[in-house]
Every structure is written in C-alpha cells, then in structure tokens.
Amino acid sequence: MRRFIFLILAVVTSNLSAQIALIPQPTSIYLKEGAFPIAHVKTIYISSELVRKEALVLKEVLQGMGISTTIKNGNVKRIAPYISLSLLKSTPKKEAYQLSIKANRIAINAGHQAGVFYGIQTLKQLSVNKSSIPTVEIKDSPAFAWRGYMVDVGRNFQSIALLKQQIDAMAAYKLNIFHFHFTEDIAWRLASKQYPQLTDSANMIRNKGKFYTEKEFKELINYCKDRHITLVPEIDMPGHSAAFKRAMGVDMQSDSGVHMLKNILKEFFTTYNLPYFHIGADEVKITNKNFVPEISAFVESFGKKTIGWEPGGNFNKNTIRQLWMDDAAVTAGNNDIQYIDSRHLYLNHMDPLESVVTIFNRQLCGVDRGNTRALGATLCLWPDRKIANEEDAIKMNAIYPAMLAFAERVWLGGGYEGWVSNLNLNGDKAFNLFKDFENRLLIHKKQYFKNLPFPYQQQSKLTWQLYGPFKNGGDLTKQFSPELPDFNLDKEKQTLIAIGGTIILRHWWAPKIKAVLPEPTENTTWYAFTKIWSDRDAIKDFWIGFNNLSRSPATDSPQDGTWDNHKSEIWLNGKLISPPNWKNAGQKGDSEIPLIDEGYEYRKPMALQLKKGWNMIRIKAPIGSFKAKNWQNPEKWMFTFIETPTN
C-alpha cells in the first residue's frame, strides 16, 4: 500500500470508532485529545466569494443535523466555536485539502473549491453524533485524478431521481466522473431537435418512450457540476447503434449515416458544454476504415477530448482509452496514450460479496498512483438484461457496497497486482487491511444507507474448512466420505482454509482471476464445512446460493428442485436444505425476461432453524467440465452462505 495513516487512539469507545470510520481513508489523520462542540456552531466564515457555494453545501449539512448557521466574510471578527473555509495558494493540488479540528474551531483549507468540497464530505462523516466531534488534523489528496462511475441507461432507463441518488453517493465518497452511456441497440435516450425520431417509442425495444429531454440533461449536468463531478457523455459508435439504424433508416458507417451523425454531434456540442466526449467504438466490425478517424477529428474540432473503449476502433493518439479487456498496447511504457482502467470493474458480472473483495484488492491501472498517462479508473454498471423495475439495477448489482470499495481504492491508490475473487489470497497484511475497511463499510451501511439497497454482510469472520479434490468421473451426484454419517470433522485434516460469505473455487475467467483452488481440476467434488453459533434455539435468515447469475448474459434459470446445474447441495446439522421454488424454473436464458429470484441478494433470505450452541453447515460443490455449453452460461463453481441479520 502506498500510504500509511497516523492514528493515535488511546481509549477508543465504540462511538468514537464510528466517528473516525472514514471512507475513503484519508492520506494522513492525526487524532488528538479533546472534542469540538459542533452543535454550538453559529457561523461559517469564508475567505472569499469563491467558496460561497461550498459554504452553502456545509450550511445544508449542518441544517440536516439541526444546526442553524449563517455565512459571513472571513475578514470580520470571528466568534468561537466556528467553521472557516479558505482557498490557499500554498495548496497546489486541485483536489487536496486540509481539515483541522481544534476545541474552538474547524478550518478547511484547499487550493481549489473541489478540495473544500471534499473536506466538507470528510467533516460530514466525522459528525455522526451531531453533538461533538474529535479534534483531529487531516491532510488528504487523491492518488488518481479520474475516479469514475458509469451507468448504462440505453438498455435500461433510469429516472432522474434514481440518477441523482447515485450521484449523491458519488459526491459523498469523492468520485468525480459520471460516465453517462445513453445510446444502445435497445434505445437512444437523449432528445434531438433535428432528429426527433431517435427517441420515438417505435424505435425503442425496452422502456418505450423513456428518454431525457434537453432540460433534464442540462439539469443532470448542473447537478453533477454542483458536486464537483464532470459528466462524460457517450454515444456508442459505430457499434451498439441498432436504435440509430431503426430511427434513421441507414447504417451509421454509411456516407449518409456519417452525415447524420455529424449533425447530431454538432447539435449536442452547441447545446451542452462538456469537456469530454466518449465515442465507444468497441464490439463492432469496422466496414468504413475512415469512420473513427473522421468522427474523432470532428469531435475534436469542437474542442472536446475524445475517449474510446480499448480494445476498440482505430483511434488517434490523442484519444483516451478506456480499458475493458486487453491492454498491452496501451499500457506499454513507450507511448504517450492516456488510459482509464475498467478491467474487471463491470459490476453486472460480479457476485455482491465478491465485488467488494476484488475491488478493494485491485491495483488500478497497474500502478500505485496516477500519472500523466494512467489517469484513473471507472466502475461500470452494465445491466444488459432487462430489469423489472429500475431499482433492481441497484440491488442486483450491489452498487453501493462496490462503489464504496472502489472509492477507497481509487482515492488511496496502492492495492495488489492481479485480480482475486476471495479474501485470504493476498496474505495476512491484505486481509487485515480488508477487515479494517469492512468494519468501516458496515458502519456506513448503517449510518447512510438505511433505506437504500446495500446487499453486503460481514464476511471476514466466516471461515471454511475445505476437503478435496474427490474424482467424480463426471458423476456429479457421486458421494464421498465428507458426506457420510461417520465422517469426523475433528479427526480429518482439511485440505484448504477459505474465508468469506461467497467462496469461488475456480473463477469462470480463470486463470486471469485467482480463486480459492490453486490448481482446480475438472470432474472433481469439493466439500466445505463451517460452524455457526446460536445463543438459543432460533430461526435466522441466511443468503444461500451456488450460481450468482451475471446480469448481462441470457443465462438459464436453475431447474426445479436444484440449486444449480452442478448438483450442489447444502446441509444444516445433517439435514438437507431444499433449494427455493424458482419462479422461472428451467427458463432458457432470454435477455428480455428479467431475473426475479435467481440471485440470493434479491430474493427473500432463507429462514433456517438453528439449535442452541454450535450448528454445522456442510456444502457439496461438484464440477464436471469447465467448458461451458455456451458463452451465456459460464461454469460458475462457487457457493454463498452467510447470515443476514435484520439490524
């Protein structure tokens, strides 16, 4: 890890622990004795009118705590206790800030308004008890300049209210790029005065008639700007453009298509003032070799910086590449190409418990901190499959737990080379750092996400004993000693130890992503055991799953009476636990049929009867061939079991 944090904590009460549970963790924090009586603050002093907007943000934060304040020019005599906001030339980094909390005053100093805004977000997290906050000295700045979050509204429309909810979360955790992907094969979602047919409901496949007006889009841009977030628009071209073809009657790469597209772009650039423009250009056969260079030059003629997906089109050297798969040509040290990392940052392919682990452990851009080429990273939400309601995009893809893990990593930098899917794969130091983060994450879940989907439970204390491999010869029902009545767990030595609520034995993208088994083998069976304690006979809720379906492919639903296609099984105290009664049992995968209960994070938890004392969980996880029947149905060799307490 590239930084270390100074914490002087003599006697830390649980309340104080909550008060210093900051996400992202600051560069340095020095906790001192004493407290500041924030409940008695009456005045916010500003060094100039340049920070009045930020002072209004702070005033609103305090008002939400029941504290009424006025904003005054900092040149007048100050009456303690007070808060001051100042721009200082001595702080050259745009997003850096210093937060100094003494017994009689709070001072937030920065070289730019963005730094002042981030200092306010940190102060807000320190003010959880609304009465007093610890005296502390914080110096903070981000490792990466580009800290992004992307939503795909082309496939599944999201209301302005839901978009603002996500933008608010971004701002609270110091993300600064909102990547807005609003065109797709499914639909074109932004109004055009010149070509209104683009948003005609007849040319949409889902959410017919749902699009953003010019007024709404400008509102969204300004909403981001007020929170020091830059909106990055994307019109995907020439691929993912079937909606364009339906509306315009021509292929985007044709001469007529290029002409129309230029008209659309000119209208966009003369209507909206944004510094970046994403042209997509991935997953398409280029039939017009001049298309990408010509469109790139046209975009740049309006003073915009182009961005494109890599691998993708034949971009010029000025185009920022957003990595989603291969990267050798871009990240090589002998070129000047700038890039953004989105590799293995697609939430629609991640299990909710896995996503927090893998993102927290990531080394973004392959470097510890950003530079002139490695700009940063963008976390992506691609719910390709149709969803029943817009909130499902947030719940099914576990947006907020993953966003907080990403915010921590992209702000702090560091992390570890390679991609891991489970907890204890990077050694003890990494595991202890994760446990600290997880404690802070759970505090934030309770304090800030009470009424929002936040599918995450503490998993760092859940340990599994794994036994295997047992050769099953392709017979997934074959029994082995760990499931026989005379198997003695205390006498048999486990093969491996695994930790977590979701255990991935072999990742479906192996060997690129590391999982629990160092050398997984086809046609084998593994068993996993853990014990859970109950103070009394009680019914408790649990998440249980064996195949967390991606929200992108048209994956088949489980057959009736099964957990998955591997014949996986689970027992509680020797009694077999039956799988759910799937609502779409045996349904062949279809991108236009929403998922309903296939994932543990969006179906009702399973209620299990526990006995007083220790309870034994036994899991059987067989596998046949690693080769999937098709790309829509990857062989996911995994299981999830974890308690889901209601409080």
Side-chain angles (χ1 to χ4, degrees):
M1 310 296 282
R2 76 175 180 90
R3 303 175 177 196
F4 59 94
I5 298 158
F6 301 98
L7 283 176
I8 295 182
L9 301 174
V11 178
V12 181
T13 65
S14 59
N15 184 44
L16 184 55
S17 296
Q19 283 189 273
I20 58 172
L22 301 175
I23 299 177
Q25 188 82 276
T27 305
S28 68
I29 174 170
Y30 184 82
L31 185 65
K32 300 183 294 184
E33 292 184 6
F36 174 81
I38 194 165
H40 299 291
V41 168
K42 301 296 182 185
T43 309
I44 301 169
Y45 294 100
I46 58 176
S47 63
S48 74
E49 289 298 312
L50 294 175
V51 291
R52 182 168 288 276
K53 277 190 175 181
E54 286 66 41
L56 290 170
V57 170
L58 177 56
K59 180 181 174 69
E60 186 176 343
V61 168
L62 295 172
Q63 194 167 350
M65 297 163 55
I67 303 168
S68 180
T69 57
T70 57
I71 300 171
K72 293 183 179 180
N73 188 290
N75 294 326
V76 301
K77 183 179 179 181
R78 300 179 180 184
I79 302 174
Y82 64 84
I83 302 175
S84 69
L85 308 180
S86 302
L87 292 180
L88 301 177
K89 293 181 180 180
S90 58
T91 309
K93 294 181 180 179
K94 178 181 177 181
E95 296 179 305
Y97 70 91
Q98 296 178 17
L99 172 59
S100 174
I101 303 177
K102 298 185 182 298
N104 62 343
R105 63 104 180 112
I106 294 175
I108 298 176
N109 300 324
H112 187 275
Q113 290 94 328
V116 174
F117 182 82
Y118 295 145
I120 292 169
Q121 301 311 309
T122 300
L123 177 60
K124 180 181 178 181
Q125 291 186 23
L126 288 169
S127 307
V128 292
N129 75 8
K130 303 179 182 180
S131 176
S132 64
I133 55 179
T135 53
V136 68
E137 297 290 332
I138 291 175
K139 292 183 179 181
D140 203 8
S141 63
F144 290 96
W146 187 287
R147 305 181 303 282
Y149 170 64
M150 190 220 79
V151 295
D152 167 15
V153 295
R155 292 182 175 91
N156 289 288
F157 179 83
Q158 292 188 25
S159 66
I160 292 293
L162 185 59
L163 293 171
K164 286 182 176 179
Q165 179 194 112
Q166 294 163 84
I167 292 167
D168 284 341
M170 290 177 63
Y173 295 97
K174 304 180 176 71
L175 301 184
N176 64 354
I177 297 290
F178 183 56
H179 180 165
F180 196 57
H181 181 97
F182 61 85
T183 69
E184 260 301 333
D185 291 333
I186 298 293
W188 185 290
R189 302 279 186 200
L190 183 63
S192 167
K193 292 177 181 176
Q194 189 167 359
Y195 301 112
Q197 63 267 40
L198 285 168
T199 51
D200 191 302
S201 60
N203 297 318
M204 298 180 177
I205 294 175
R206 299 179 195 155
N207 311 125
K208 289 180 175 288
K210 296 288 187 180
F211 63 93
Y212 306 96
T213 65
E214 177 184 327
K215 180 181 178 182
E216 288 173 326
F217 196 57
K218 284 183 175 178
E219 178 187 350
L220 205 59
I221 292 170
N222 290 330
Y223 197 81
C224 288
K225 187 177 180 181
D226 288 343
R227 289 154 181 78
H228 295 277
I229 294 171
T230 300
L231 189 147
V232 174
E234 179 183 359
I235 294 179
D236 210 341
M237 57 180 86
H240 297 267
S241 58
F244 174 94
K245 190 172 184 177
R246 289 193 298 271
M248 310 308 291
V250 298
D251 185 270
M252 195 179 273
Q253 295 190 69
S254 67
D255 290 343
S256 297
V258 170
H259 175 74
M260 294 173 181
L261 181 58
K262 285 183 176 180
N263 287 339
I264 293 168
L265 293 175
K266 182 179 180 180
E267 178 184 340
F268 184 90
F269 296 139
T270 54
T271 304
Y272 310 107
N273 183 23
L274 294 164
Y276 299 97
F277 190 80
H278 204 304
I279 62 173
D282 65 322
E283 297 184 319
V284 62
K285 182 179 180 180
I286 300 291
T287 58
N288 177 357
K289 66 179 182 180
N290 294 321
F291 179 87
V292 171
E294 185 176 348
I295 291 298
S296 297
F298 187 77
V299 171
E300 290 168 353
S301 72
F302 287 87
K304 310 301 177 183
K305 183 71 172 177
T306 55
I307 306 172
W309 293 104
E310 178 69 39
N314 50 328
F315 304 113
N316 62 39
K317 66 178 182 179
N318 297 321
T319 299
I320 298 171
R321 315 299 170 84
Q322 187 165 357
L323 311 181
W324 65 280
M325 190 185 295
D326 299 325
D327 63 345
V330 173
T331 59
N334 58 353
N335 65 65
D336 295 324
I337 296 173
Q338 294 181 309
Y339 60 94
I340 304 159
D341 200 350
S342 286
R343 297 165 300 174
H344 195 41
L345 290 173
Y346 284 20
L347 294 178
N348 42 297
H349 285 304
M350 293 183 186
D351 170 273
L353 297 173
E354 173 209 2
S355 66
V356 172
V357 173
T358 192
I359 292 169
F360 178 81
N361 278 280
R362 279 292 302 277
Q363 184 189 57
L364 301 169
C365 290
V367 295
D368 281 343
R369 57 181 299 126
N371 53 51
T372 55
R373 293 184 56 236
L375 303 182
T378 296
L379 186 67
C380 299
L381 171 60
W382 296 103
D384 300 57
R385 192 162 179 164
K386 183 179 181 180
I387 55 178
N389 60 76
E390 64 176 7
E391 290 80 11
D392 283 350
I394 309 299
K395 182 188 299 182
M396 291 179 172
N397 298 284
I399 296 302
Y400 294 128
M403 181 184 286
L404 270 60
F406 177 75
E408 172 101 350
R409 180 55 58 223
V410 77
W411 184 271
L412 279 180
Y416 297 87
E417 292 183 10
W419 305 340
V420 298
S421 58
N422 287 98
L423 270 176
N424 53 328
L425 300 182
N426 277 330
D428 291 343
K429 180 181 178 182
F431 181 53
N432 289 331
L433 288 169
F434 179 85
K435 287 194 294 184
D436 172 72
F437 170 74
E438 184 181 60
N439 288 336
R440 288 181 280 125
L441 180 70
L442 293 169
I443 289 171
H444 280 245
K445 174 185 178 179
K446 185 175 181 180
Q447 289 175 347
Y448 306 114
F449 294 90
K450 287 181 180 178
N451 300 315
L452 295 175
F454 201 97
Y456 188 85
Q457 305 294 341
Q458 186 176 41
Q459 57 176 326
S460 62
K461 293 183 178 180
L462 185 56
T463 300
W464 297 88
Q465 295 173 271
L466 270 57
Y467 296 83
F470 297 92
K471 296 180 180 180
N472 60 42
D475 180 3
L476 305 185
T477 63
K478 191 172 182 179
Q479 291 184 326
F480 299 97
S481 58
E483 65 181 288
L484 300 179
D486 59 351
F487 184 76
N488 191 326
L489 195 64
D490 295 325
K491 292 184 178 180
E492 300 289 341
K493 181 175 175 57
Q494 75 275 353
T495 310
L496 292 169
I497 294 291
I499 301 173
T502 288
I503 302 298
I504 298 176
L505 298 172
R506 174 190 181 270
H507 201 281
W508 42 102
W509 289 333
K512 189 175 284 290
I513 301 174
K514 187 178 178 182
V516 165
L517 300 184
E519 296 181 1
T521 307
E522 293 181 320
N523 301 310
T524 56
T525 298
W526 280 79
Y527 293 86
F529 292 82
T530 193
K531 294 180 180 179
I532 51 177
W533 177 266
S534 181
D535 292 331
R536 56 187 175 83
D537 291 348
I539 296 175
K540 295 186 178 181
D541 289 339
F542 293 85
W543 282 340
I544 305 177
F546 289 88
N547 181 4
N548 191 265
L549 274 60
S550 296
R551 279 67 63 190
S552 284
T555 308
D556 301 343
S557 296
Q559 296 291 330
D560 189 34
T562 69
W563 283 103
D564 62 4
N565 62 327
H566 298 156
K567 308 297 183 183
S568 298
E569 293 181 306
I570 179 171
W571 294 263
L572 167 61
N573 296 325
K575 183 178 180 181
L576 191 67
I577 301 174
S578 299
N581 295 316
W582 308 110
K583 294 180 181 178
N584 285 336
Q587 171 68 53
K588 180 177 171 54
D590 188 326
S591 292
E592 297 307 309
I593 298 178
L595 299 172
I596 300 175
D597 60 356
E598 290 85 350
Y600 64 82
E601 72 273 27
Y602 50 92
R603 67 172 174 261
K604 185 178 179 181
M606 184 158 287
L608 300 181
Q609 176 67 60
L610 301 184
K611 66 181 182 180
K612 182 179 179 180
W614 288 108
N615 294 259
M616 178 64 71
I617 298 296
R618 178 178 66 206
I619 285 175
K620 179 181 182 179
I623 189 73
S625 172
F626 291 154
K627 185 178 180 180
K629 68 177 183 179
N630 55 50
W631 74 271
Q632 304 273 23
N633 288 274
E635 292 295 333
K636 294 191 174 184
W637 197 13
M638 61 187 293
F639 64 84
T640 296
F641 178 87
I642 196 165
E643 186 178 350
T644 59
T646 55
N647 52 16

